[in-house]
Amino acid sequence: MPSIVSAVSRSKCHTFSKPNELTIRLVAGLGVEGDAHLGEKVQHLYAARKNPDAPNLRQVHLMHEELFDELRADGFNVQPGAIGENVTTRGLDLLALPTGARLRLGAKAVIEVTGLRNPCRQIDAFQQGLTVAVLGRDLEGRLIRKAGVMAIVIAGGDVTAGDLIAVELPAGKHRPLLPV
């Protein structure tokens, strides 16, 4: 099964959920046009209060639709955009990608994965118990964050549901994703 974009979302305000769109435009070095997280410097409200001059490593939030399937099986009501992602994917193990992996979304857009989304308390405000549901433990007891990955925009372009996703792994040693 090919890796595809299953939905795209954005919100001009700092809202938890983002409405689905037909198409979003990625802007090199900035993020999603018309989204509250657009910018060279950090736009995440909590992180911006700590260090407003930090680079924006969270320009695009991606989440795998397979997580929604898992969450729905556990009784949660989640759909694309509901947990704040800009790009919902299907057929791509986002959490297994290394830091620096590049994803071509559609014909022109290229993003580079910077790290994991660290689930915040807003997830439980959205649906009680959801924070625990998007966290897990591996066989060694290490925490697994399943709430998607963050990326920066390398090359701009329009992204639409149904677009294919091509993965380019970085050269060198696999660097696991860390929270950003």
Side-chain angles (χ1 to χ4, degrees):
M1 176 175 155
S3 301
I4 64 163
V5 173
S6 58
V8 292
S9 310
R10 68 178 173 172
S11 176
K12 64 181 177 181
C13 301
H14 284 279
T15 57
F16 182 73
S17 297
K18 297 179 187 242
N20 294 148
E21 302 281 344
L22 295 175
T23 299
I24 58 172
R25 174 163 290 149
L26 302 185
V27 181
L30 296 175
V32 179
E33 184 176 271
D35 191 79
H37 292 97
L38 179 81
E40 290 179 14
K41 303 287 184 188
V42 64
Q43 299 297 310
H44 185 267
L45 295 176
Y46 176 77
R49 281 193 299 271
K50 289 173 57 176
N51 183 2
D53 291 323
N56 188 1
L57 301 178
R58 302 168 59 105
Q59 294 175 359
V60 182
H61 176 202
L62 296 95
M63 194 168 303
H64 50 296
E65 192 169 21
E66 291 84 354
L67 175 63
F68 297 148
D69 298 340
E70 176 186 323
L71 293 171
R72 282 191 292 270
D74 289 339
F76 293 98
N77 180 19
V78 287
Q79 304 299 326
I83 307 180
E85 77 278 8
N86 300 109
V87 177
T88 310
T89 68
R90 173 139 322 258
L92 176 60
D93 188 354
L94 292 173
L95 303 180
L97 293 171
T99 301
R102 291 195 173 184
L103 306 178
R104 177 174 296 279
L105 308 174
K108 295 183 179 178
V110 178
I111 60 174
E112 183 174 296
V113 178
T114 57
L116 294 167
R117 176 189 185 190
N118 198 23
C120 66
R121 61 180 171 82
Q122 288 184 327
I123 292 178
D124 266 351
F126 176 69
Q127 287 183 41
Q128 191 62 38
L130 193 54
T131 302
V132 171
V134 297
L135 296 172
R137 297 272 175 193
D138 66 12
L139 296 174
E140 287 80 39
R142 291 181 298 241
L143 186 64
I144 299 172
R145 292 168 176 88
K146 300 187 277 185
V149 301
M150 308 307 281
I152 57 173
V153 181
I154 301 300
D158 291 345
V159 181
T160 303
D163 282 349
L164 293 176
I165 302 171
V167 178
E168 179 185 327
L169 297 175
K173 185 179 176 188
H174 177 104
R175 293 180 301 143
L177 297 173
L178 299 173
V180 293

